[in-house]
Amino acid sequence: MPASGINRVGPCAAVLLLLVLGACSRPDAMLAASTPVPPSAAITARAEMLVPPDAALAGIYDRSCRSCHAYVDSGAPLAGHGAEWDRRLAQGLDVLVEHTRSGLGAMPAMGMCLDCDDADFEDLIRFMATTNGNAGEAE
């Protein structure tokens, strides 16, 4: 009898895949009071190309954040989509760091970056919320 797909990749790999895929959906319950702002085609295209200018931060972003925050189909707020990040930043940066640390909705605890500290999370949030350090440029 042929092995099933689960048996070929192993149960651990299947669970890991489900966790990674689930990590990309958006936790809208916290933002239900405000209206989502769909990204424009330009924001969507730019999100796929944005990379933090700092090499160390770029490495963290590529391995921990990009898979959800650079692609519109993930449901996560896109890097450079200022209007969506403004909705979140209204809660305060310290709240967003806590959400990243503990996980929120489908975003896993530590945002898939187990070696990050709060300063890393703050820098990554600021990067994703703005481009070139200016929120107005993100739109």
Side-chain angles (χ1 to χ4, degrees):
M1 175 186 331
S4 71
I6 295 287
N7 289 335
R8 280 185 296 218
V9 295
C12 290
V15 169
L16 180 60
L17 178 61
L18 289 173
L19 288 173
V20 169
L21 292 173
C24 293
S25 60
R26 186 189 314 197
D28 277 343
M30 295 293 291
L31 302 170
S34 58
T35 305
V37 178
S40 67
I43 291 171
T44 300
R46 186 171 52 232
E48 292 180 14
M49 298 173 46
L50 286 175
V51 178
D54 176 76
L57 198 63
I60 294 170
Y61 178 76
D62 281 342
R63 69 180 159 84
S64 301
C65 309
R66 177 181 291 283
S67 62
C68 293
H69 293 282
Y71 303 101
V72 72
D73 291 337
S74 73
L78 294 178
H81 189 190
E84 279 299 299
W85 283 101
D86 287 347
R87 292 173 354 109
R88 288 159 174 81
L89 287 168
Q91 300 172 78
L93 185 59
D94 57 332
V95 172
L96 295 182
V97 169
E98 176 55 34
H99 290 167
T100 305
R101 223 184 297 115
S102 61
L104 179 67
M107 186 168 108
M110 300 300 286
M112 298 193 328
C113 183
L114 300 179
D115 61 336
C116 286
D117 59 23
D118 286 358
D120 294 324
F121 293 141
E122 288 177 11
D123 290 344
L124 288 161
I125 291 166
R126 284 188 186 105
F127 161 72
M128 288 186 283
T130 63
T131 58
N132 299 322
N134 299 313
E137 290 181 289
E139 294 300 326

